Amino acid sequence: KDQDHKDYAAATKEGTGVLRVETSEVAFLVQMKTFHFNNALLEEHFNENYMESDKIPYSTLDAVIKEKIDFSKDGVYDVTLVGTLDLHGVKVPREIKGKLTVKGGAPVSASSDFMVKLADHKIKIPSVVGVNIAEELKVDVAFDFVKYEKK
């Protein structure tokens, strides 16, 4: 097989997110070591060499939804998050497009896919790895928010 064109993927189901409907603020936090790869060696390199997960354990996104959303009305809304992505300890201002789904009292769900340039976050890929790592990574996000009731 041609190793130069093999796709590597990582996934986590352990992110935490908050949506404040009153202010349209959103915040996400992901622990880097919760990403698991379809290649064990690449997972080790990801944590030890690229992300330095012991030293910089989390990635965050703090943003505001640009569009005015009526969370009392069902629908699928195109949204733009405007804020800061902190990855590898480097904060970069971002605008990220996505969708919010509001449906009959169910949790609001969110989805997006966006690209992250490794150089923007000072993530260096050592040439000795033996695997071609893209200079940009595609991030796919799907999230269901659970309504928080104050007691």
Side-chain angles (χ1 to χ4, degrees), residues 19-35:
L19 164 64
R20 289 192 176 95
V21 296
E22 304 84 13
T23 60
S24 294
E25 294 172 280
V26 291
F28 295 96
L29 178 136
V30 177
Q31 187 174 2
M32 300 316 293
K33 283 192 173 181
T34 65
F35 281 98

Side-chain angles (χ1 to χ4, degrees), residues 87-141:
L87 178 64
H88 193 237
V90 178
K91 295 180 179 182
V92 175
R94 292 294 307 259
E95 283 198 11
I96 297 171
K97 301 273 187 203
K99 292 194 181 302
L100 280 182
T101 302
V102 178
K103 188 172 181 184
V108 173
S109 60
S111 63
S112 177
D113 61 69
F114 59 96
M115 300 302 289
V116 173
K117 290 182 182 175
L118 300 183
D120 287 352
H121 295 276
K122 296 183 172 53
I123 300 168
K124 294 179 177 67
I125 305 298
S127 58
V128 296
V129 171
V131 175
N132 280 343
I133 304 294
E135 293 178 14
E136 283 191 295
L137 299 179
K138 183 178 180 197
V139 177
D140 288 311
V141 180

